[in-house]
Structures are given as structure tokens and as C-alpha cells.
Amino acid sequence: MILELKSIDKSFGEKEVLKGVSFTAEGGRAFGLLGRNGAGKTTSIRILMNVFPADGGEVLIDGRPIDYDKIGIGYLPEERGLYPKKIIIDQLVYFAELKGMRAKDAVKAVDYWLGRLGMTEYRNKRLDTLSKGNQQKIQLITALAHDPDIVILDEPFSGLDPVNAMLLKDVVKEQIARGKIVLFSSHQMSYIEEFCDSIAIINAGKVAVSGDLHEIKRAYPRNKLVVSAANTDRIRAELGEICTAREDGTLLVRLASPDEKQTMMKRIVEICDVDEIKVLEPSLNDIFVEYAGAQI
């Protein structure tokens, strides 16, 4: 299954929010939708979910206009939308029924997810008796109980401790392994980099860069090496000013040309015992700052 937003335009009054936004996400792969606050991420997601229509462009599944009666969408919003005074099982079943499930099937699905997320003991409690992290897990169930084809996660790790974050990671990996389209929107670049095969960075309503994350990284000049060794001082003494110590204790070696990579690696290994040597690639945070740092 391939999801495509194609040349999406959207204005609110005189404010042009989206200007020809296009990107593609595939089933079985996680996709990261990134951008600064106000860049157009939320508007793109709402158009994808059919909350409101685009002024121009199309939302396609496998090359055809999306049929919202056949394609299920699960959404975990950044701003939580459950009822704090209501019993958890009641509102989870209610939301699942809104997504088209029969009551009996909804109860079964919700109970499965309560167990999967370690929340069964809270089944008959009010939401406002739970911690912020556990409320986040309850909200997640609303996105997954109806077994959607597309799962949209907006800041999913917000408020989660490391143990619950690991649990959520396992759940997300399961959804990806089942061939679903999983779309992340987050400012936590480490999670996006861990999960996402492809990204799109939106800046001022336009897609500044999109595509396979690995290929985007490889497009950068490969003229720097990172070296981890017990005796980096010896390498610095041998190579001189092309070397710079990094905060993590590794050594950065700048090459005059990427073509020198293999020759320099061999030379460094001959100087001393090396634990690791690799080409320095930009982090997703570096890429984000470059493409979203200035308004286009």
C-alpha cells in the first residue's frame, strides 16, 4: 500500500498554509513528517484524515483517490482528546465504535490492547486517576483498537518514561511489520531517526526535502572521518591540523576530497590500534536544522 499526498494546497482566508505539498509513504515502512511549529504539518495531517478538504491536489492510495470508507486511519494527537472523568473502558469502546466496530468486537479489541500495554488493572477506572504516561497509553489504544491501515503518531513519546517508551517502540515495530503505513510527526529527532525509513521536512508550507533518509544522508559530501581509538593523540600528532577532537572523545579527520577516504583509513589504521573508523554522516537533527532553520 502506497499513500501519496500530491500537490496539496490549502489556505485559510488570505493565509496560504500549504503550497503544493507532495510526499509518499509506503506500507511496512515508517515515515517522518517534520517541520517547525506552524510549518504546515498539522494541516497536512488533517487533510490526509479528511478533517477538511484541500483547496487543490489529491490524497491517493495506490494511485487512486483514497476511499475513507475502506481505508482505516488511527490517530494519536499531540493534544490529548479523551474524557478525564469517564471510565476508561467505556470511552475506549465508544471511540472504537465510532470507527465502525461492533460493540462486542470493540470490547475484545480494547481488552487486548489494555493487556498488551499493561493497563488492564485500570480498565474500570476514570482517566484522571492515571499518570500522564499511562493516559498517553490509553490515548494510543484509541488509535490502534480498530486495526487501522494508516497509523499517525503525533509526538507519541511525549510524557513516557524509558520503560513505557520501549513498550511503545515494540508496538510501533509490530505495526510496521504488519505492513501498515506508520506516519510520525515529532520534534524528537532520535526517535524519528530510529524508526523512519523516509522523511519529508516542511518549511513555510513547502516540502524542503523528502525521500529515503539513508539516501538523503549519503547525498552529503563524504569528506570527513570519525575515528575511535585509545590513543587519538598519536593520530593527531601524525596527521596534524586536519584532525579535531570531538566532545565524545572521538577524532574528526577532514579530507581534501572524498576520494582520499580509503587511503586515509588505511593510513590511520597503520598509525595505531583503532576501535572504529567511519565516514561522518549528518544526523537527522543536522538535516532538520539545515532545511527548517530558515523560512523559505
Side-chain angles (χ1 to χ4, degrees):
M1 185 167 61
I2 298 176
L3 166 69
E4 203 178 347
L5 267 69
K6 190 172 182 180
S7 302
I8 299 295
D9 297 319
K10 185 64 180 179
S11 296
F12 296 101
E14 296 182 356
K15 183 173 177 58
E16 192 176 11
V17 178
L18 299 181
K19 310 166 188 176
V21 167
S22 299
F23 60 79
T24 301
E26 299 180 26
R29 292 164 60 90
F31 180 89
L33 183 61
L34 309 174
R36 296 167 63 183
N37 294 333
K41 303 188 304 299
T42 301
T43 300
S44 298
I45 289 171
R46 288 175 178 170
I47 290 172
L48 164 59
M49 294 176 60
N50 202 31
V51 174
F52 46 66
D55 297 332
E58 299 177 287
V59 180
L60 307 174
I61 291 288
D62 294 333
R64 297 183 178 183
I66 186 170
D67 185 341
Y68 290 99
D69 292 328
K70 296 180 179 179
I71 300 297
I73 299 177
Y75 178 47
L76 175 68
E78 180 179 5
E79 298 296 331
R80 310 314 172 205
L82 297 180
Y83 301 104
K85 303 297 182 182
K86 297 295 184 181
I87 300 300
I88 287 169
I89 182 65
D90 293 342
Q91 56 180 314
L92 287 178
V93 169
Y94 169 71
F95 280 112
E97 289 180 297
L98 287 179
K99 298 295 179 63
M101 298 189 77
R102 295 182 301 175
K104 183 178 179 180
D105 294 334
V107 171
K108 183 178 179 180
V110 167
D111 278 333
Y112 165 77
W113 280 109
L114 286 170
R116 177 70 179 83
L117 298 176
M119 299 296 291
T120 301
E121 66 181 289
Y122 304 109
R123 184 182 191 272
N124 297 306
K125 295 184 179 297
R126 292 188 343 186
L127 185 71
D128 61 4
T129 64
L130 275 58
S131 67
K132 182 179 179 181
N134 282 337
Q135 289 187 31
Q136 172 80 329
K137 291 197 286 184
I138 296 298
Q139 182 86 57
L140 177 64
I141 294 174
T142 68
L144 299 176
H146 59 293
D147 196 24
D149 304 290
I150 302 171
V151 180
I152 302 171
L153 304 173
D154 194 351
E155 297 293 353
F157 295 96
S158 176
L160 295 182
D161 60 48
V163 173
N164 281 323
M166 185 65 68
L167 178 60
L168 177 55
K169 287 181 184 181
D170 291 340
V171 169
V172 170
K173 289 175 182 177
E174 289 172 5
Q175 298 298 303
I176 295 170
R178 291 183 60 197
K180 298 187 178 186
I181 294 172
V182 177
L183 192 153
F184 279 92
S185 179
S186 178
H187 291 111
Q188 295 176 285
M189 296 298 155
S190 60
Y191 289 121
I192 297 292
E193 197 154 15
E194 179 178 354
F195 282 107
C196 294
D197 304 288
S198 302
I199 64 165
I201 297 177
I202 298 179
N203 187 353
K206 298 180 181 179
V207 174
V209 65
S210 67
D212 182 276
L213 179 56
H214 180 66
E215 292 179 0
I216 291 172
K217 288 185 174 185
R218 287 193 64 86
Y220 280 72
R222 304 177 66 78
N223 60 350
K224 295 178 183 177
L225 301 178
V226 178
V227 182
S228 177
N231 190 356
T232 56
D233 289 342
R234 185 173 176 182
I235 299 173
R236 294 181 68 182
E238 182 74 20
L239 299 182
E241 62 183 15
I242 67 171
C243 299
T244 305
R246 305 174 79 210
E247 291 184 0
D248 61 2
T250 59
L251 198 63
L252 180 66
V253 180
R254 298 178 300 280
L255 308 177
S257 165
D259 296 336
E260 296 182 359
K261 178 178 61 180
Q262 296 298 333
T263 301
M264 182 59 72
M265 285 182 172
K266 182 178 179 181
R267 181 180 175 188
I268 291 171
V269 170
E270 291 173 348
I271 293 173
C272 70
D273 183 29
V274 172
D275 297 322
E276 182 182 27
I277 184 168
K278 62 183 180 181
V279 174
L280 176 67
E281 289 187 333
S283 67
L284 180 55
N285 190 72
D286 296 330
I287 296 170
F288 180 84
V289 170
E290 176 179 347
Y291 283 99
Q295 294 294 313
I296 59 177

